[in-house]
PDB file of all heavy atoms in Angstrom:
ATOM      1  N   GLN A 498       4.896 -12.280  -4.545  1.00  0.00           N
ATOM      2  CA  GLN A 498       5.592 -12.498  -3.293  1.00  0.00           C
ATOM      3  C   GLN A 498       6.735 -11.505  -3.171  1.00  0.00           C
ATOM      4  O   GLN A 498       7.222 -11.003  -4.178  1.00  0.00           O
ATOM      5  CB  GLN A 498       6.174 -13.962  -3.251  1.00  0.00           C
ATOM      6  CG  GLN A 498       5.196 -15.048  -3.550  1.00  0.00           C
ATOM      7  CD  GLN A 498       4.302 -15.376  -2.401  1.00  0.00           C
ATOM      8  OE1 GLN A 498       4.810 -15.773  -1.345  1.00  0.00           O
ATOM      9  NE2 GLN A 498       2.971 -15.235  -2.559  1.00  0.00           N
ATOM     10  N   GLU A 499       7.085 -11.238  -1.933  1.00  0.00           N
ATOM     11  CA  GLU A 499       8.222 -10.351  -1.745  1.00  0.00           C
ATOM     12  C   GLU A 499       9.541 -10.895  -2.302  1.00  0.00           C
ATOM     13  O   GLU A 499      10.396 -10.192  -2.812  1.00  0.00           O
ATOM     14  CB  GLU A 499       8.371  -9.998  -0.248  1.00  0.00           C
ATOM     15  CG  GLU A 499       7.235  -9.200   0.303  1.00  0.00           C
ATOM     16  CD  GLU A 499       7.404  -8.851   1.732  1.00  0.00           C
ATOM     17  OE1 GLU A 499       8.533  -8.581   2.173  1.00  0.00           O
ATOM     18  OE2 GLU A 499       6.399  -8.783   2.463  1.00  0.00           O
ATOM     19  N   LYS A 500       9.728 -12.227  -2.194  1.00  0.00           N
ATOM     20  CA  LYS A 500      10.906 -12.898  -2.744  1.00  0.00           C
ATOM     21  C   LYS A 500      10.413 -14.112  -3.599  1.00  0.00           C
ATOM     22  O   LYS A 500       9.803 -15.005  -3.020  1.00  0.00           O
ATOM     23  CB  LYS A 500      11.871 -13.373  -1.648  1.00  0.00           C
ATOM     24  CG  LYS A 500      12.499 -12.209  -0.930  1.00  0.00           C
ATOM     25  CD  LYS A 500      13.549 -12.693   0.037  1.00  0.00           C
ATOM     26  CE  LYS A 500      14.274 -11.507   0.735  1.00  0.00           C
ATOM     27  NZ  LYS A 500      15.303 -11.937   1.656  1.00  0.00           N
ATOM     28  N   ILE A 501      10.728 -14.047  -4.881  1.00  0.00           N
ATOM     29  CA  ILE A 501      10.298 -15.123  -5.772  1.00  0.00           C
ATOM     30  C   ILE A 501      11.121 -15.141  -6.980  1.00  0.00           C
ATOM     31  O   ILE A 501      11.508 -14.068  -7.522  1.00  0.00           O
ATOM     32  CB  ILE A 501       8.780 -14.981  -6.146  1.00  0.00           C
ATOM     33  CG1 ILE A 501       8.327 -16.145  -6.956  1.00  0.00           C
ATOM     34  CG2 ILE A 501       8.558 -13.614  -6.833  1.00  0.00           C
ATOM     35  CD1 ILE A 501       6.782 -16.157  -7.163  1.00  0.00           C
ATOM     36  N   GLY A 502      11.501 -16.335  -7.481  1.00  0.00           N
ATOM     37  CA  GLY A 502      12.245 -16.456  -8.723  1.00  0.00           C
ATOM     38  C   GLY A 502      13.547 -15.678  -8.803  1.00  0.00           C
ATOM     39  O   GLY A 502      13.929 -15.192  -9.860  1.00  0.00           O
ATOM     40  N   GLY A 503      14.237 -15.540  -7.647  1.00  0.00           N
ATOM     41  CA  GLY A 503      15.493 -14.820  -7.659  1.00  0.00           C
ATOM     42  C   GLY A 503      15.404 -13.337  -7.572  1.00  0.00           C
ATOM     43  O   GLY A 503      16.439 -12.598  -7.716  1.00  0.00           O
ATOM     44  N   VAL A 504      14.203 -12.755  -7.398  1.00  0.00           N
ATOM     45  CA  VAL A 504      14.079 -11.317  -7.320  1.00  0.00           C
ATOM     46  C   VAL A 504      13.405 -10.942  -5.999  1.00  0.00           C
ATOM     47  O   VAL A 504      12.641 -11.753  -5.414  1.00  0.00           O
ATOM     48  CB  VAL A 504      13.312 -10.714  -8.517  1.00  0.00           C
ATOM     49  CG1 VAL A 504      13.878 -11.161  -9.807  1.00  0.00           C
ATOM     50  CG2 VAL A 504      11.852 -11.145  -8.438  1.00  0.00           C
ATOM     51  N   THR A 505      13.662  -9.699  -5.575  1.00  0.00           N
ATOM     52  CA  THR A 505      12.950  -9.188  -4.347  1.00  0.00           C
ATOM     53  C   THR A 505      12.163  -7.960  -4.804  1.00  0.00           C
ATOM     54  O   THR A 505      12.656  -7.065  -5.424  1.00  0.00           O
ATOM     55  CB  THR A 505      14.003  -8.762  -3.303  1.00  0.00           C
ATOM     56  OG1 THR A 505      14.811  -9.906  -2.956  1.00  0.00           O
ATOM     57  CG2 THR A 505      13.326  -8.225  -2.082  1.00  0.00           C
ATOM     58  N   LEU A 506      10.871  -8.015  -4.385  1.00  0.00           N
ATOM     59  CA  LEU A 506       9.979  -6.920  -4.788  1.00  0.00           C
ATOM     60  C   LEU A 506       9.626  -6.093  -3.567  1.00  0.00           C
ATOM     61  O   LEU A 506       9.461  -6.626  -2.440  1.00  0.00           O
ATOM     62  CB  LEU A 506       8.707  -7.498  -5.395  1.00  0.00           C
ATOM     63  CG  LEU A 506       8.911  -8.306  -6.652  1.00  0.00           C
ATOM     64  CD1 LEU A 506       7.598  -8.968  -7.142  1.00  0.00           C
ATOM     65  CD2 LEU A 506       9.509  -7.443  -7.782  1.00  0.00           C
ATOM     66  N   GLN A 507       9.422  -4.822  -3.742  1.00  0.00           N
ATOM     67  CA  GLN A 507       9.169  -3.861  -2.683  1.00  0.00           C
ATOM     68  C   GLN A 507       7.656  -3.623  -2.552  1.00  0.00           C
ATOM     69  O   GLN A 507       6.957  -3.489  -3.563  1.00  0.00           O
ATOM     70  CB  GLN A 507       9.877  -2.536  -2.890  1.00  0.00           C
ATOM     71  CG  GLN A 507      11.407  -2.653  -3.049  1.00  0.00           C
ATOM     72  CD  GLN A 507      12.037  -3.244  -1.827  1.00  0.00           C
ATOM     73  OE1 GLN A 507      11.713  -2.893  -0.668  1.00  0.00           O
ATOM     74  NE2 GLN A 507      12.937  -4.183  -1.998  1.00  0.00           N
ATOM     75  N   LYS A 508       7.174  -3.531  -1.318  1.00  0.00           N
ATOM     76  CA  LYS A 508       5.778  -3.232  -1.067  1.00  0.00           C
ATOM     77  C   LYS A 508       5.477  -1.804  -1.374  1.00  0.00           C
ATOM     78  O   LYS A 508       6.416  -0.901  -1.306  1.00  0.00           O
ATOM     79  CB  LYS A 508       5.409  -3.570   0.382  1.00  0.00           C
ATOM     80  CG  LYS A 508       5.514  -5.032   0.729  1.00  0.00           C
ATOM     81  CD  LYS A 508       5.242  -5.336   2.188  1.00  0.00           C
ATOM     82  CE  LYS A 508       6.358  -4.869   3.080  1.00  0.00           C
ATOM     83  NZ  LYS A 508       6.226  -5.298   4.473  1.00  0.00           N
ATOM     84  N   PRO A 509       4.281  -1.392  -1.608  1.00  0.00           N
ATOM     85  CA  PRO A 509       3.894   0.003  -1.839  1.00  0.00           C
ATOM     86  C   PRO A 509       4.167   0.844  -0.594  1.00  0.00           C
ATOM     87  O   PRO A 509       4.165   0.352   0.520  1.00  0.00           O
ATOM     88  CB  PRO A 509       2.465   0.003  -2.234  1.00  0.00           C
ATOM     89  CG  PRO A 509       1.937  -1.291  -1.670  1.00  0.00           C
ATOM     90  CD  PRO A 509       3.061  -2.289  -1.729  1.00  0.00           C
ATOM     91  N   ASP A 510       4.338   2.139  -0.795  1.00  0.00           N
ATOM     92  CA  ASP A 510       4.592   3.039   0.314  1.00  0.00           C
ATOM     93  C   ASP A 510       3.565   2.983   1.396  1.00  0.00           C
ATOM     94  O   ASP A 510       3.898   2.965   2.621  1.00  0.00           O
ATOM     95  CB  ASP A 510       4.758   4.466  -0.145  1.00  0.00           C
ATOM     96  CG  ASP A 510       6.027   4.727  -0.993  1.00  0.00           C
ATOM     97  OD1 ASP A 510       6.919   3.832  -0.923  1.00  0.00           O
ATOM     98  OD2 ASP A 510       6.071   5.720  -1.716  1.00  0.00           O
ATOM     99  N   TYR A 511       2.291   2.829   1.011  1.00  0.00           N
ATOM    100  CA  TYR A 511       1.245   2.832   1.985  1.00  0.00           C
ATOM    101  C   TYR A 511       1.204   1.650   2.913  1.00  0.00           C
ATOM    102  O   TYR A 511       0.562   1.687   3.951  1.00  0.00           O
ATOM    103  CB  TYR A 511      -0.136   3.055   1.379  1.00  0.00           C
ATOM    104  CG  TYR A 511      -0.523   2.091   0.300  1.00  0.00           C
ATOM    105  CD1 TYR A 511      -0.823   0.768   0.578  1.00  0.00           C
ATOM    106  CD2 TYR A 511      -0.666   2.486  -1.001  1.00  0.00           C
ATOM    107  CE1 TYR A 511      -1.221  -0.145  -0.451  1.00  0.00           C
ATOM    108  CE2 TYR A 511      -1.088   1.617  -2.060  1.00  0.00           C
ATOM    109  CZ  TYR A 511      -1.357   0.298  -1.714  1.00  0.00           C
ATOM    110  OH  TYR A 511      -1.741  -0.588  -2.694  1.00  0.00           O
ATOM    111  N   ALA A 512       1.969   0.605   2.515  1.00  0.00           N
ATOM    112  CA  ALA A 512       2.115  -0.560   3.423  1.00  0.00           C
ATOM    113  C   ALA A 512       2.802  -0.198   4.702  1.00  0.00           C
ATOM    114  O   ALA A 512       2.606  -0.850   5.785  1.00  0.00           O
ATOM    115  CB  ALA A 512       2.852  -1.696   2.710  1.00  0.00           C
ATOM    116  N   GLY A 513       3.653   0.851   4.663  1.00  0.00           N
ATOM    117  CA  GLY A 513       4.404   1.280   5.822  1.00  0.00           C
ATOM    118  C   GLY A 513       3.728   2.410   6.609  1.00  0.00           C
ATOM    119  O   GLY A 513       4.284   2.851   7.638  1.00  0.00           O
ATOM    120  N   TRP A 514       2.580   2.873   6.129  1.00  0.00           N
ATOM    121  CA  TRP A 514       1.908   3.941   6.876  1.00  0.00           C
ATOM    122  C   TRP A 514       1.357   3.411   8.174  1.00  0.00           C
ATOM    123  O   TRP A 514       0.981   2.221   8.316  1.00  0.00           O
ATOM    124  CB  TRP A 514       0.769   4.487   6.058  1.00  0.00           C
ATOM    125  CG  TRP A 514       1.098   5.228   4.815  1.00  0.00           C
ATOM    126  CD1 TRP A 514       2.353   5.582   4.340  1.00  0.00           C
ATOM    127  CD2 TRP A 514       0.164   5.751   3.841  1.00  0.00           C
ATOM    128  NE1 TRP A 514       2.237   6.234   3.169  1.00  0.00           N
ATOM    129  CE2 TRP A 514       0.916   6.327   2.827  1.00  0.00           C
ATOM    130  CE3 TRP A 514      -1.245   5.678   3.712  1.00  0.00           C
ATOM    131  CZ2 TRP A 514       0.325   6.941   1.719  1.00  0.00           C
ATOM    132  CZ3 TRP A 514      -1.830   6.239   2.632  1.00  0.00           C
ATOM    133  CH2 TRP A 514      -1.065   6.893   1.618  1.00  0.00           C
ATOM    134  N   PRO A 515       1.240   4.293   9.175  1.00  0.00           N
ATOM    135  CA  PRO A 515       0.492   3.901  10.365  1.00  0.00           C
ATOM    136  C   PRO A 515      -0.992   3.593  10.036  1.00  0.00           C
ATOM    137  O   PRO A 515      -1.563   4.104   9.105  1.00  0.00           O
ATOM    138  CB  PRO A 515       0.544   5.154  11.257  1.00  0.00           C
ATOM    139  CG  PRO A 515       1.687   6.006  10.754  1.00  0.00           C
ATOM    140  CD  PRO A 515       1.784   5.663   9.273  1.00  0.00           C
ATOM    141  N   ARG A 516      -1.615   2.749  10.810  1.00  0.00           N
ATOM    142  CA  ARG A 516      -2.914   2.306  10.569  1.00  0.00           C
ATOM    143  C   ARG A 516      -3.896   3.467  10.433  1.00  0.00           C
ATOM    144  O   ARG A 516      -4.793   3.544   9.550  1.00  0.00           O
ATOM    145  CB  ARG A 516      -3.367   1.378  11.663  1.00  0.00           C
ATOM    146  CG  ARG A 516      -4.834   0.938  11.630  1.00  0.00           C
ATOM    147  CD  ARG A 516      -5.099  -0.006  12.801  1.00  0.00           C
ATOM    148  NE  ARG A 516      -6.555  -0.338  12.869  1.00  0.00           N
ATOM    149  CZ  ARG A 516      -7.435   0.423  13.532  1.00  0.00           C
ATOM    150  NH1 ARG A 516      -7.051   1.583  14.147  1.00  0.00           N
ATOM    151  NH2 ARG A 516      -8.715   0.090  13.567  1.00  0.00           N
ATOM    152  N   GLU A 517      -3.752   4.494  11.330  1.00  0.00           N
ATOM    153  CA  GLU A 517      -4.641   5.607  11.324  1.00  0.00           C
ATOM    154  C   GLU A 517      -4.538   6.380  10.008  1.00  0.00           C
ATOM    155  O   GLU A 517      -5.544   6.897   9.498  1.00  0.00           O
ATOM    156  CB  GLU A 517      -4.328   6.570  12.497  1.00  0.00           C
ATOM    157  CG  GLU A 517      -4.577   5.946  13.841  1.00  0.00           C
ATOM    158  CD  GLU A 517      -3.548   4.906  14.288  1.00  0.00           C
ATOM    159  OE1 GLU A 517      -2.436   4.844  13.650  1.00  0.00           O
ATOM    160  OE2 GLU A 517      -3.838   4.091  15.209  1.00  0.00           O
ATOM    161  N   LYS A 518      -3.338   6.515   9.473  1.00  0.00           N
ATOM    162  CA  LYS A 518      -3.142   7.221   8.243  1.00  0.00           C
ATOM    163  C   LYS A 518      -3.833   6.519   7.083  1.00  0.00           C
ATOM    164  O   LYS A 518      -4.431   7.146   6.184  1.00  0.00           O
ATOM    165  CB  LYS A 518      -1.695   7.416   7.933  1.00  0.00           C
ATOM    166  CG  LYS A 518      -1.412   8.243   6.615  1.00  0.00           C
ATOM    167  CD  LYS A 518       0.062   8.479   6.386  1.00  0.00           C
ATOM    168  CE  LYS A 518       0.305   9.231   5.088  1.00  0.00           C
ATOM    169  NZ  LYS A 518       1.764   9.503   4.865  1.00  0.00           N
ATOM    170  N   ARG A 519      -3.708   5.175   7.054  1.00  0.00           N
ATOM    171  CA  ARG A 519      -4.380   4.410   5.954  1.00  0.00           C
ATOM    172  C   ARG A 519      -5.891   4.604   6.034  1.00  0.00           C
ATOM    173  O   ARG A 519      -6.554   4.733   5.036  1.00  0.00           O
ATOM    174  CB  ARG A 519      -3.991   2.909   6.063  1.00  0.00           C
ATOM    175  CG  ARG A 519      -2.574   2.650   5.620  1.00  0.00           C
ATOM    176  CD  ARG A 519      -2.385   1.158   5.293  1.00  0.00           C
ATOM    177  NE  ARG A 519      -2.539   0.263   6.424  1.00  0.00           N
ATOM    178  CZ  ARG A 519      -1.507  -0.151   7.127  1.00  0.00           C
ATOM    179  NH1 ARG A 519      -0.276   0.155   6.867  1.00  0.00           N
ATOM    180  NH2 ARG A 519      -1.732  -1.000   8.147  1.00  0.00           N
ATOM    181  N   ILE A 520      -6.450   4.556   7.229  1.00  0.00           N
ATOM    182  CA  ILE A 520      -7.885   4.693   7.407  1.00  0.00           C
ATOM    183  C   ILE A 520      -8.358   6.073   6.959  1.00  0.00           C
ATOM    184  O   ILE A 520      -9.408   6.233   6.326  1.00  0.00           O
ATOM    185  CB  ILE A 520      -8.324   4.371   8.840  1.00  0.00           C
ATOM    186  CG1 ILE A 520      -8.050   2.863   9.113  1.00  0.00           C
ATOM    187  CG2 ILE A 520      -9.809   4.689   9.096  1.00  0.00           C
ATOM    188  CD1 ILE A 520      -8.345   2.460  10.556  1.00  0.00           C
ATOM    189  N   THR A 521      -7.574   7.072   7.367  1.00  0.00           N
ATOM    190  CA  THR A 521      -7.969   8.468   7.004  1.00  0.00           C
ATOM    191  C   THR A 521      -7.944   8.641   5.487  1.00  0.00           C
ATOM    192  O   THR A 521      -8.886   9.250   4.906  1.00  0.00           O
ATOM    193  CB  THR A 521      -6.957   9.464   7.631  1.00  0.00           C
ATOM    194  OG1 THR A 521      -7.028   9.388   9.084  1.00  0.00           O
ATOM    195  CG2 THR A 521      -7.245  10.900   7.175  1.00  0.00           C
ATOM    196  N   GLU A 522      -6.921   8.066   4.824  1.00  0.00           N
ATOM    197  CA  GLU A 522      -6.871   8.153   3.374  1.00  0.00           C
ATOM    198  C   GLU A 522      -7.972   7.415   2.725  1.00  0.00           C
ATOM    199  O   GLU A 522      -8.564   7.800   1.703  1.00  0.00           O
ATOM    200  CB  GLU A 522      -5.487   7.610   2.880  1.00  0.00           C
ATOM    201  CG  GLU A 522      -5.276   7.756   1.408  1.00  0.00           C
ATOM    202  CD  GLU A 522      -5.250   9.192   0.860  1.00  0.00           C
ATOM    203  OE1 GLU A 522      -5.006  10.109   1.632  1.00  0.00           O
ATOM    204  OE2 GLU A 522      -5.574   9.346  -0.352  1.00  0.00           O
ATOM    205  N   ALA A 523      -8.344   6.237   3.302  1.00  0.00           N
ATOM    206  CA  ALA A 523      -9.431   5.418   2.783  1.00  0.00           C
ATOM    207  C   ALA A 523     -10.733   6.170   2.797  1.00  0.00           C
ATOM    208  O   ALA A 523     -11.535   6.164   1.869  1.00  0.00           O
ATOM    209  CB  ALA A 523      -9.485   4.082   3.539  1.00  0.00           C
ATOM    210  N   LYS A 524     -10.967   6.836   3.882  1.00  0.00           N
ATOM    211  CA  LYS A 524     -12.239   7.652   4.090  1.00  0.00           C
ATOM    212  C   LYS A 524     -12.299   8.739   3.007  1.00  0.00           C
ATOM    213  O   LYS A 524     -13.342   9.057   2.428  1.00  0.00           O
ATOM    214  CB  LYS A 524     -12.353   8.204   5.465  1.00  0.00           C
ATOM    215  CG  LYS A 524     -12.642   7.192   6.521  1.00  0.00           C
ATOM    216  CD  LYS A 524     -12.704   7.806   7.922  1.00  0.00           C
ATOM    217  CE  LYS A 524     -13.030   6.802   9.026  1.00  0.00           C
ATOM    218  NZ  LYS A 524     -13.028   7.440  10.325  1.00  0.00           N
ATOM    219  N   LYS A 525     -11.149   9.389   2.750  1.00  0.00           N
ATOM    220  CA  LYS A 525     -11.108  10.472   1.752  1.00  0.00           C
ATOM    221  C   LYS A 525     -11.452   9.918   0.396  1.00  0.00           C
ATOM    222  O   LYS A 525     -12.234  10.528  -0.394  1.00  0.00           O
ATOM    223  CB  LYS A 525      -9.687  11.089   1.689  1.00  0.00           C
ATOM    224  CG  LYS A 525      -9.327  11.942   2.925  1.00  0.00           C
ATOM    225  CD  LYS A 525      -7.940  12.538   2.725  1.00  0.00           C
ATOM    226  CE  LYS A 525      -7.545  13.375   3.927  1.00  0.00           C
ATOM    227  NZ  LYS A 525      -6.121  13.862   3.786  1.00  0.00           N
ATOM    228  N   LEU A 526     -10.917   8.754   0.017  1.00  0.00           N
ATOM    229  CA  LEU A 526     -11.138   8.149  -1.244  1.00  0.00           C
ATOM    230  C   LEU A 526     -12.589   7.792  -1.429  1.00  0.00           C
ATOM    231  O   LEU A 526     -13.212   8.034  -2.490  1.00  0.00           O
ATOM    232  CB  LEU A 526     -10.246   6.905  -1.446  1.00  0.00           C
ATOM    233  CG  LEU A 526      -8.722   7.185  -1.592  1.00  0.00           C
ATOM    234  CD1 LEU A 526      -7.950   5.891  -1.496  1.00  0.00           C
ATOM    235  CD2 LEU A 526      -8.463   7.909  -2.947  1.00  0.00           C
ATOM    236  N   LEU A 527     -13.224   7.256  -0.380  1.00  0.00           N
ATOM    237  CA  LEU A 527     -14.610   6.908  -0.450  1.00  0.00           C
ATOM    238  C   LEU A 527     -15.497   8.122  -0.611  1.00  0.00           C
ATOM    239  O   LEU A 527     -16.445   8.102  -1.408  1.00  0.00           O
ATOM    240  CB  LEU A 527     -15.025   6.114   0.819  1.00  0.00           C
ATOM    241  CG  LEU A 527     -14.696   4.624   0.848  1.00  0.00           C
ATOM    242  CD1 LEU A 527     -15.267   4.073   2.155  1.00  0.00           C
ATOM    243  CD2 LEU A 527     -15.240   3.892  -0.329  1.00  0.00           C
ATOM    244  N   ALA A 528     -15.127   9.169   0.077  1.00  0.00           N
ATOM    245  CA  ALA A 528     -15.890  10.399   0.005  1.00  0.00           C
ATOM    246  C   ALA A 528     -15.790  10.988  -1.406  1.00  0.00           C
ATOM    247  O   ALA A 528     -16.781  11.499  -1.984  1.00  0.00           O
ATOM    248  CB  ALA A 528     -15.410  11.423   0.998  1.00  0.00           C
ATOM    249  N   GLN A 529     -14.615  10.938  -2.005  1.00  0.00           N
ATOM    250  CA  GLN A 529     -14.429  11.407  -3.359  1.00  0.00           C
ATOM    251  C   GLN A 529     -15.278  10.640  -4.359  1.00  0.00           C
ATOM    252  O   GLN A 529     -15.693  11.156  -5.366  1.00  0.00           O
ATOM    253  CB  GLN A 529     -12.933  11.321  -3.756  1.00  0.00           C
ATOM    254  CG  GLN A 529     -12.040  12.325  -3.049  1.00  0.00           C
ATOM    255  CD  GLN A 529     -10.564  12.039  -3.298  1.00  0.00           C
ATOM    256  OE1 GLN A 529     -10.186  11.219  -4.158  1.00  0.00           O
ATOM    257  NE2 GLN A 529      -9.676  12.683  -2.467  1.00  0.00           N
ATOM    258  N   ALA A 530     -15.456   9.325  -4.019  1.00  0.00           N
ATOM    259  CA  ALA A 530     -16.236   8.450  -4.902  1.00  0.00           C
ATOM    260  C   ALA A 530     -17.749   8.569  -4.608  1.00  0.00           C
ATOM    261  O   ALA A 530     -18.549   7.922  -5.276  1.00  0.00           O
ATOM    262  CB  ALA A 530     -15.815   7.010  -4.744  1.00  0.00           C
ATOM    263  N   GLY A 531     -18.120   9.412  -3.646  1.00  0.00           N
ATOM    264  CA  GLY A 531     -19.543   9.650  -3.340  1.00  0.00           C
ATOM    265  C   GLY A 531     -20.152   8.888  -2.192  1.00  0.00           C
ATOM    266  O   GLY A 531     -21.373   8.789  -2.040  1.00  0.00           O
ATOM    267  N   PHE A 532     -19.289   8.213  -1.362  1.00  0.00           N
ATOM    268  CA  PHE A 532     -19.772   7.401  -0.293  1.00  0.00           C
ATOM    269  C   PHE A 532     -19.433   8.073   1.064  1.00  0.00           C
ATOM    270  O   PHE A 532     -18.251   8.315   1.313  1.00  0.00           O
ATOM    271  CB  PHE A 532     -19.204   5.990  -0.361  1.00  0.00           C
ATOM    272  CG  PHE A 532     -19.635   5.273  -1.593  1.00  0.00           C
ATOM    273  CD1 PHE A 532     -18.812   5.151  -2.700  1.00  0.00           C
ATOM    274  CD2 PHE A 532     -20.935   4.709  -1.659  1.00  0.00           C
ATOM    275  CE1 PHE A 532     -19.221   4.477  -3.820  1.00  0.00           C
ATOM    276  CE2 PHE A 532     -21.374   4.072  -2.777  1.00  0.00           C
ATOM    277  CZ  PHE A 532     -20.496   3.925  -3.877  1.00  0.00           C
ATOM    278  N   THR A 533     -20.472   8.353   1.857  1.00  0.00           N
ATOM    279  CA  THR A 533     -20.285   9.035   3.102  1.00  0.00           C
ATOM    280  C   THR A 533     -21.087   8.304   4.183  1.00  0.00           C
ATOM    281  O   THR A 533     -21.755   7.269   3.913  1.00  0.00           O
ATOM    282  CB  THR A 533     -20.757  10.467   3.039  1.00  0.00           C
ATOM    283  OG1 THR A 533     -22.166  10.412   2.704  1.00  0.00           O
ATOM    284  CG2 THR A 533     -20.009  11.277   1.998  1.00  0.00           C
ATOM    285  N   ALA A 534     -21.091   8.831   5.433  1.00  0.00           N
ATOM    286  CA  ALA A 534     -21.863   8.187   6.533  1.00  0.00           C
ATOM    287  C   ALA A 534     -23.352   8.217   6.134  1.00  0.00           C
ATOM    288  O   ALA A 534     -24.067   7.278   6.462  1.00  0.00           O
ATOM    289  CB  ALA A 534     -21.643   8.978   7.807  1.00  0.00           C
ATOM    290  N   GLY A 535     -23.827   9.216   5.439  1.00  0.00           N
ATOM    291  CA  GLY A 535     -25.240   9.295   5.002  1.00  0.00           C
ATOM    292  C   GLY A 535     -25.505   8.447   3.812  1.00  0.00           C
ATOM    293  O   GLY A 535     -26.668   8.172   3.473  1.00  0.00           O
TER     294      GLY A 535
END
């Protein structure tokens, strides 16, 4: 949780990215792993 047990935790940087940037990065990662449209 963001706030639990008296501490506050920060979300990862990509949580603040625009949706389009997250999707672009996701496609790159899939391509690197061998998954494409084909």
